[in-house]
Amino acid sequence: MQIRYVAALLLTASTASVSFAQTLPAGVVKGPSVEGITEYRLPNGLKVLLFPDASKPTVTVNVTYLVGSRHENYGETGMAHLLEHLLFKGTPRHRNIPQQFADRGMDYNGTTSLDRTNYYEVFQASPENLKWALDMEAERMTRSFIAKKDLDSEMTVVRNEYESGENDPFGVLYKRMESVAFDWHSYGRSTIGNRSDIENVRIENLQAFYRTYYQPDNAVLLVAGKFEPSQTLAWISKTFGAIPKPKRTLPRFWTVEPAQDGERQYAVRRKGDVQIVLVGYKIPSGLHADADPLAFMNQVLGDTPNGRLHKRLVESGKAAQVFAFSQPGYAPSLQVFGAVVKMGQPVEPVRDELIAAVEGFAQEAPSEEEMERTRREYSNSIEKALNNPQQVGVALSEHIALGDWRLLFQGRDSLASITSAQVAAAAGRYLKRDNRVVGTFIPDDAPQRAEIGAAPTAAELLKDYKGKASALTSEVFDPSQDNIMARTELRELGGLKLALLPKRNRGETVVVDLRLRWGDEKNQFGQQMLAAATDQMLMRGSSRYTRAQLADAMSKLKMSGSLYHFETTREHLAAALRLQAHVLKEPAFPAAEFEQMRQQWVVGLEATRNDPQAMAGRAQAEYFDHWPKGDPRSTLTLDEQLAAIKALKLEDLKAYHAAFYGASQGELSVVGDFDKAELLKVAGEELAGWHSKAAYAPILDKHVEKAPTRITLDAPDKENGVFSARMNLALRTDDPDYPALELANFIFGNGGLKSRLMDRIRQKDGLSYGGGSGLEAGELDDAGAFTIDAIAAPQNMAKLEAAIRQELERAVKQGFTAAEVAGAKSGLMQQRLQNRSRDDVLASAWSHFRYLGRTFAWSKQYEARLKALTPQQVSAAFRKHIDPGKLSVVIAADAAKAKR
């Protein structure tokens, strides 16, 4: 019944699960099995889901705990999320979990929501990696330190995450909606929590919360990917099975939110550059019979460009953007609609039109076209989710929180049974004036309250449900460079350089990456915004399709992604390529869509005017710009961009397309399930004779030394500040020092949570939620750069800068240890291997290599150079190229808060 969740799961493809005969470990009981996922239960209450899949050399381990922000008590808001952070602080046998993740090249994270908390790691498939991950997760389930010293440093990090969210107008507005909408239920509290609760929570409360909810009978473990099921189940029985069954009883929650007795209004007044209207309504639990019809309503109203709100508000020019979303939970929650209004335009007419469209929905039931489109969109999303066990494993956390993972499949199977009448009737029960949150309280003698009925249990919903067996297959693909080279055909089609790598995929998916190149530095002079606008208009209508029809056509062909880089299936590839070529060659440039695009562009840019992140980025780009105005490599100021957008003429876009677009030069890479002969035939017919009329030459950058500078920008009324530093480097990717610099950068600030920089500003000093360093190198020129970015509260910016400079000077002076270099090599190599197992990355990489005249043999040689580096060479390269005295620093923060 839970299509509300899977609608957002646009995932990639994988392969069929593998059945296996097994003798279960002592005490382990086998449960239901649906489409390759099998449930087991340990004697201590732990649920285990195994989803074996050998199509990619990766494994996902995910642990979902049935605890979220709704389980917090008064004064403890944000505690579930804070506890999530502390579970990365170590256990007796795993004292530095981020370092251990980094050494294994694992992708990992933890997330907290209203009803659950989950932790996952995705890694290269090997018995050693899997055994380590299971052992670590089992130990941190009940033996994490949860120490006062870690709370003291991590509290300020979480507070900075809170402060970062306070910079976002929409995020602040939505948090207020939650608190205004709910009088009593804990869904009225944002998961990030209240600032004072974050700052003052007692370690004893956190420890008690941890001991109560982090137990095997309140958790579900999922292992998905390439692994041996019997051995894995044995390891799970040994590691997790050793945890005693808890004796405590989980707390019961009995608060039921009463029916709202009148529309509510609220306003957030903060400095900003964009106007937003939100309208919210309380809706039933995600388990309620009305949940899925309401999901259909959400799509019919909120879709872009086919949704009713888009057509009524955006196409009429009243709003720049509309949206709709819900956050269905275990208890009744919120359905939200919104509109973005350009500065200077009145908000009230948009608000009134939005309310009229939403609350009048029940009187105009969805058409069959709207129902079919919605079923197709959900079906496509679910299909993509189920084709990738690696990602659907993490997504199952939401269904686990509702009571049972099988709700994902039950919801998919119920799509066809949902009718237009059900959708309209469900909307009529909840989209009412007195259930609305948008305005102030108004006394009313005739209230229109929405009574929300009780929902059945997951067991009741699933008592007669029979899951389907999986029938999808694929090959086991070796992502080594040698195999990629052996499997790929390189050829040319006119001026296009092709890379074709056919392989059997789960769901018969295939990825297309097309890059077209035209123009040179002379004929592109003064054309920056015109070129960008022309590209933006391509998907807004063609000679045969309106924008809405084009979106439908792509949906029918299962195309997801962009016009130049998309995924589809073997069956639809030929038609998808023809549609792609048609859109590229025959854009219609509709006048109404042109004005919509212009308005949205202006509103989007204006929204960044006072955003510290955008302010700092613009200041850095403008300072380091060394090209004359009009040059395609030059940087436009914000006001110059706005002026150029307002000056655009539709005739100029048409002329630009006619003068420059064509397939005379470029790259086309296709990876996945396809027929090579058919592809070559279609590509030849559609692209081979399409030529650009303009001269072409690569537009190269060049290294220019810039004197260090310091720029301070005031960002009033912003809770979070931004530190940005940069120095230019004369560096190419084929330079002898580049591999050593990449390793050094990984160690210093590009290794995720585990890096020199994050160890200092987050783990030790607790100043920042996020930061890192970057290394840029030219491919055909020597325009490189070294950058450092971090966020902090304005009053902590001076401490942040001091800490960053100290760490950079220490790295330059002392270099890097053998252990750091070994860990960086391991992490980078495993990341690169995992990337090569992804079709979308492979296709993009082949296009890039073809442009540069390289192959994956170059990738293999580069990795050999990485592996051969010594700590001394890495340290010497960093010392040679990085000079802390040459950093140009930009700080964007509230000056008044910085003085506190």
Side-chain angles (χ1 to χ4, degrees):
M1 172 171 275
Q2 303 315 310
I3 62 173
R4 305 178 74 81
Y5 289 110
V6 295
L9 302 178
L10 297 176
L11 309 180
T12 54
S14 188
T15 190
S17 59
V18 181
S19 61
F20 60 95
Q22 61 182 149
T23 301
L24 298 179
V28 176
V29 177
K30 185 176 181 180
S33 179
V34 178
E35 299 190 15
I37 304 177
T38 304
E39 177 183 314
Y40 302 87
R41 186 180 287 273
L42 272 57
N44 58 13
L46 179 72
K47 280 187 180 179
V48 177
L49 305 179
L50 296 186
F51 194 176
D53 181 293
S55 65
K56 296 179 181 177
T58 58
V59 176
T60 298
V61 172
N62 180 85
V63 183
T64 301
Y65 294 91
L66 301 180
V67 58
S69 57
R70 76 176 175 91
H71 298 87
E72 298 161 348
N73 292 315
Y74 184 81
E76 296 179 341
T77 63
M79 192 160 67
H81 174 247
L82 183 54
L83 187 59
E84 173 213 317
H85 279 240
L86 292 186
L87 254 73
F88 290 90
K89 293 297 186 179
T91 66
R93 292 190 298 105
H94 299 279
R95 292 182 173 271
N96 193 335
I97 292 175
Q99 178 67 65
Q100 292 173 305
F101 279 139
D103 290 346
R104 292 167 174 80
M106 292 184 172
D107 177 22
Y108 64 97
N109 206 349
T111 68
T112 307
S113 70
L114 299 171
D115 300 310
R116 57 94 192 135
T117 306
N118 80 299
Y119 304 83
Y120 70 86
E121 44 270 356
V122 182
F123 48 88
Q124 190 65 28
S126 73
E128 295 77 18
N129 279 346
L130 177 56
K131 192 173 183 181
W132 177 87
L134 294 173
D135 181 75
M136 182 277 297
E137 290 290 3
E139 185 168 62
R140 75 170 171 177
M141 176 178 282
T142 58
R143 300 193 67 202
S144 289
F145 290 134
I146 318 298
K148 180 66 166 63
K149 66 178 181 64
D150 293 329
L151 172 61
D152 290 341
S153 64
E154 201 65 21
M155 178 278 290
T156 55
V157 170
V158 173
R159 183 176 62 190
N160 186 230
E161 184 179 359
Y162 167 91
E163 291 159 344
S164 178
E166 289 294 292
N167 278 6
D168 178 21
F170 169 78
V172 173
L173 195 63
Y174 182 65
K175 282 202 292 186
R176 298 297 178 268
M177 171 167 281
E178 289 176 307
S179 62
V180 171
F182 292 96
D183 289 328
W184 307 107
H185 197 275
S186 55
Y187 277 5
R189 302 193 298 260
S190 172
T191 300
I192 193 67
N194 179 46
R195 184 184 187 115
S196 64
D197 288 354
I198 296 170
E199 293 173 338
N200 298 294
V201 64
R202 298 169 64 245
I203 188 64
E204 293 82 5
N205 293 57
L206 273 167
Q207 290 168 342
F209 196 82
Y210 172 66
R211 288 192 295 268
T212 298
Y213 293 106
Y214 281 66
Q215 296 288 345
D217 65 343
N218 196 48
V220 178
L221 166 68
L222 181 137
V223 182
K226 186 176 181 180
F227 63 91
E228 204 289 310
S230 296
Q231 179 63 75
T232 300
L233 195 59
W235 286 337
I236 293 170
S237 180
K238 181 179 179 181
T239 53
F240 287 89
I243 303 172
K245 185 174 184 178
K247 298 179 180 179
R248 61 89 183 90
T249 301
L250 286 167
R252 290 180 59 248
F253 294 87
W254 51 81
T255 300
V256 175
E257 184 73 17
Q260 186 172 311
D261 55 2
E263 62 268 45
R264 300 177 182 181
Q265 300 184 28
Y266 70 100
V268 173
R269 298 183 183 274
R270 292 191 178 193
K271 184 175 179 60
D273 306 287
V274 64
Q275 299 181 98
I276 305 172
V277 180
L278 288 186
V279 181
Y281 304 84
K282 287 197 275 292
I283 57 173
S285 157
L287 293 167
H288 195 279
D290 283 338
D292 287 349
L294 288 173
F296 269 64
M297 172 274 298
N298 178 82
Q299 182 74 4
V300 171
L301 278 172
D303 179 61
T304 296
N306 288 302
R308 294 184 182 182
L309 297 181
H310 178 85
K311 295 181 181 301
R312 190 161 174 172
L313 291 170
V314 177
E315 293 185 358
S316 67
K318 295 177 181 177
Q321 178 186 352
V322 294
F323 52 90
F325 67 92
S326 65
Q327 196 170 13
Y330 187 84
S333 56
L334 282 175
Q335 168 71 49
V336 178
F337 305 90
V340 178
V341 184
K342 183 181 178 182
M343 289 290 291
Q345 292 186 350
V347 172
E348 292 77 11
V350 178
R351 177 199 62 200
D352 296 342
E353 187 78 1
L354 180 62
I355 292 172
V358 170
E359 295 181 11
F361 180 88
Q363 283 70 53
E364 186 180 352
S367 66
E368 186 51 40
E369 181 184 5
E370 289 173 322
M371 292 293 292
E372 193 279 331
R373 179 185 299 118
T374 300
R375 289 192 190 97
R376 183 177 68 244
E377 293 292 342
Y378 284 149
S379 179
N380 288 350
S381 300
I382 297 167
E383 179 180 336
K384 290 178 183 296
L386 296 179
N387 282 345
N388 195 326
Q390 174 178 318
Q391 295 186 31
V392 78
V394 179
L396 280 173
S397 291
E398 304 298 348
H399 300 85
I400 290 168
L402 287 177
D404 198 298
W405 57 275
R406 292 174 293 165
L407 291 167
L408 170 68
F409 300 93
Q410 195 266 359
R412 186 272 317 277
D413 293 349
S414 70
L415 277 172
S417 66
I418 297 172
T419 67
S420 174
Q422 289 174 327
V423 174
R429 283 190 279 274
Y430 310 107
L431 305 186
K432 295 182 177 182
R433 182 194 63 196
D434 287 354
N435 192 36
R436 181 201 311 151
V437 181
V438 71
T440 58
F441 172 78
I442 300 175
D444 193 333
D445 293 334
Q448 301 176 22
R449 297 173 182 167
E451 299 293 338
I452 298 176
T457 66
E460 291 170 338
L461 286 171
L462 296 165
K463 63 181 180 180
D464 297 321
Y465 175 67
K466 298 289 188 290
K468 299 178 181 178
S470 176
L472 300 174
T473 59
S474 72
E475 66 173 283
V476 177
F477 181 73
D478 171 17
S480 67
Q481 289 102 332
D482 288 341
N483 186 55
I484 291 170
M485 288 296 298
R487 295 284 298 272
T488 304
E489 179 180 351
L490 304 179
R491 60 188 301 165
E492 295 186 0
L493 181 67
L496 284 179
K497 298 176 181 179
L498 274 57
L500 309 179
L501 200 170
K503 56 195 278 286
R504 290 179 59 206
N505 276 348
R506 183 183 176 94
E508 296 187 331
T509 59
V510 58
V511 173
V512 175
D513 187 86
L514 174 65
R515 305 185 186 188
L516 301 178
R517 305 183 186 276
W518 53 73
D520 56 30
E521 62 182 63
K522 292 183 179 179
N523 59 39
Q524 292 299 298
F525 192 89
Q527 308 272 40
Q528 281 174 291
M529 299 304 288
L530 185 59
T534 304
D535 183 72
Q536 288 291 313
M537 283 295 295
L538 294 179
M539 289 296 294
R540 290 177 176 260
S542 71
S543 62
R544 297 203 300 263
Y545 300 95
T546 65
R547 182 183 179 186
Q549 290 169 341
L550 185 56
D552 271 350
M554 294 182 72
S555 173
K556 291 175 182 177
L557 295 177
K558 298 185 177 181
M559 296 173 67
S560 59
S562 69
L563 180 60
Y564 296 97
H565 182 99
F566 63 85
E567 177 186 299
T568 183
T569 62
R570 182 187 185 97
E571 175 189 3
H572 298 296
L573 177 60
L577 288 170
R578 294 191 188 281
L579 180 62
Q580 177 193 45
H582 164 71
V583 173
L584 285 167
K585 293 191 287 187
E586 300 181 38
F589 296 104
E593 290 290 345
F594 174 65
E595 291 305 322
Q596 281 185 37
M597 180 200 71
R598 190 204 305 269
Q599 184 182 41
Q600 291 169 352
W601 208 348
V602 169
V603 171
L605 284 173
E606 286 286 7
T608 71
R609 185 177 291 277
N610 291 288
D611 177 74
Q613 194 84 46
M615 292 167 65
R618 285 195 296 265
Q620 285 281 21
E622 290 168 18
Y623 177 71
F624 281 91
D625 180 25
H626 57 87
W627 297 102
K629 289 295 182 183
D631 189 281
R633 293 155 292 198
S634 66
T635 298
L636 296 177
T637 67
L638 177 61
D639 289 332
E640 287 171 342
Q641 292 178 64
L642 290 169
I645 293 169
K646 293 172 183 177
L648 287 171
K649 297 179 181 179
L650 193 56
E651 293 74 18
D652 294 336
L653 273 67
K654 295 177 181 178
Y656 184 92
H657 181 271
F660 293 103
Y661 273 63
S664 305
Q665 302 284 338
E667 300 81 41
L668 173 62
S669 299
V670 184
V671 178
D673 214 323
F674 67 96
D675 180 88
K676 192 185 301 182
E678 181 185 38
L679 182 139
L680 289 171
K681 178 177 181 295
V682 173
E685 292 172 352
E686 298 294 339
L687 299 176
W690 183 40
H691 301 298
S692 173
K693 300 175 182 178
Y696 164 75
I699 301 176
L700 304 181
D701 205 346
K702 65 179 179 181
H703 170 70
V704 172
E705 288 288 342
K706 292 286 288 186
T709 191
R710 182 181 181 81
I711 302 171
T712 302
L713 304 173
D714 187 19
D717 204 29
K718 297 296 184 181
E719 293 292 330
N720 202 52
V722 172
F723 171 93
S724 177
R726 170 178 165 174
M727 61 173 289
N728 280 351
L729 301 174
L731 185 67
R732 291 167 52 111
T733 55
D734 56 2
D735 284 347
D737 284 342
Y738 180 68
L741 282 174
E742 185 180 14
L743 276 178
N745 180 58
F746 186 91
I747 297 167
F748 178 76
N750 198 39
L753 191 61
K754 181 59 186 176
S755 67
R756 286 269 190 99
L757 188 63
M758 289 300 285
D759 277 350
R760 176 64 185 273
I761 66 175
R762 175 169 172 157
Q763 312 289 15
K764 181 182 178 182
D765 293 353
L767 295 169
S768 177
Y769 172 70
S773 64
L775 181 69
E776 300 172 15
E779 301 282 8
L780 301 175
D781 55 56
D782 64 347
F786 175 70
T787 61
I788 303 174
D789 295 281
I791 61 173
Q795 56 270 31
N796 287 332
M797 292 305 293
K799 295 179 182 177
L800 177 73
E801 181 176 4
I804 289 172
R805 288 190 178 277
Q806 288 170 13
E807 287 305 314
L808 184 59
E809 288 167 1
R810 183 170 73 92
V812 170
K813 183 178 180 180
Q814 300 178 9
F816 305 103
T817 67
E820 287 177 316
V821 172
K825 288 181 183 179
S826 173
L828 277 173
M829 293 302 171
Q830 295 199 50
Q831 285 179 11
R832 291 172 65 89
L833 184 61
Q834 290 179 52
N835 283 337
R836 292 196 300 273
S837 71
R838 293 174 48 188
D839 289 358
D840 59 331
V841 176
L842 265 183
S844 297
W846 262 127
S847 292
H848 186 59
F849 281 166
R850 294 290 278 150
Y851 171 63
L852 297 175
R854 297 174 181 170
T855 69
F856 274 89
W858 188 93
S859 170
K860 183 178 180 180
Q861 293 167 1
Y862 181 79
E863 289 187 359
R865 294 168 65 194
L866 279 173
K867 293 175 184 177
L869 288 167
T870 67
Q872 292 76 20
Q873 291 171 320
V874 174
S875 301
F878 198 70
R879 190 175 299 116
K880 172 183 174 183
H881 292 273
I882 306 303
D883 182 353
K886 291 185 177 181
L887 281 180
S888 290
V889 173
V890 177
I891 292 178
D894 187 323
K897 291 184 175 70
K899 296 176 181 178
R900 295 176 185 173

